[in-house]
Amino acid sequence: MDPLHSGGCHCGRVRYQFSGPLQDIAHCHCSICRRVSGGLVTTWITLPASAFRWLAANPARYDSSASCARYFCADCGAHLALITQLSPDSIDVTIATLDHPEQAPAQRHIWTDSRLPWLHLDEELPQEPQETL
């Protein structure tokens, strides 16, 4: 049986759960993630959408591009997940909102073409100029 993982927003209104291993975890350096999160990078886990479910209140949705919908708490603003039309059968969940983010180290960097030149983070991890699907 696959392990269950849970997480949620800062205020606790929106909660989620998914099953499966903690793999396919990447630090994203794209400018859109920086703008919507206010952070230097956003670390994501990509998993099958069928393994994921919202437990408590449904999140608000923001279409950050023509192909990408992002989900966040309408009360506290926490950025929780995204779904892209480029990979509609998967969902990306922010590692920082997991109940136990310490169990989910990043395995690679994506969108390094957009990386801030003064940011040095896990330099030994593989780096992709753009994300490969």
Side-chain angles (χ1 to χ4, degrees):
M1 180 157 197
D2 284 333
L4 283 177
H5 306 282
S6 57
C9 65
H10 179 259
C11 71
R13 179 178 174 265
V14 181
R15 298 283 302 160
Y16 62 80
Q17 185 177 69
F18 64 88
S19 61
L22 294 172
Q23 60 187 25
D24 195 11
I25 301 169
H27 294 307
C28 183
H29 294 269
C30 81
S31 61
I32 297 173
C33 280
R34 281 198 307 268
R35 293 274 181 165
V36 299
S37 72
L40 300 175
V41 297
T42 301
T43 306
W44 299 98
I45 182 169
T46 301
L47 52 120
S50 60
F52 179 90
R53 67 184 179 121
W54 298 108
L55 296 175
N58 286 326
R61 175 182 166 149
Y62 171 65
D63 294 334
S64 60
S65 69
S67 64
C68 184
R70 293 171 186 264
Y71 297 88
F72 64 96
C73 177
D75 289 343
C76 69
H79 190 191
L80 300 162
L82 72 77
I83 297 175
T84 176
Q85 292 176 5
L86 302 174
S87 185
D89 294 331
S90 66
I91 185 169
D92 293 339
V93 178
T94 54
I95 290 297
T97 62
L98 282 171
D99 291 341
H100 297 285
E102 70 280 1
Q103 296 175 355
Q107 299 157 329
R108 62 192 171 107
H109 293 273
I110 57 174
W111 295 101
T112 58
D113 280 352
S114 301
R115 185 183 199 154
L116 295 170
W118 46 261
L119 179 63
H120 301 283
L121 179 68
D122 294 334
E123 299 296 324
E124 72 280 357
L125 296 178
Q127 299 187 23
E128 300 170 20
Q130 297 181 352
E131 183 174 21
T132 56
L133 299 174

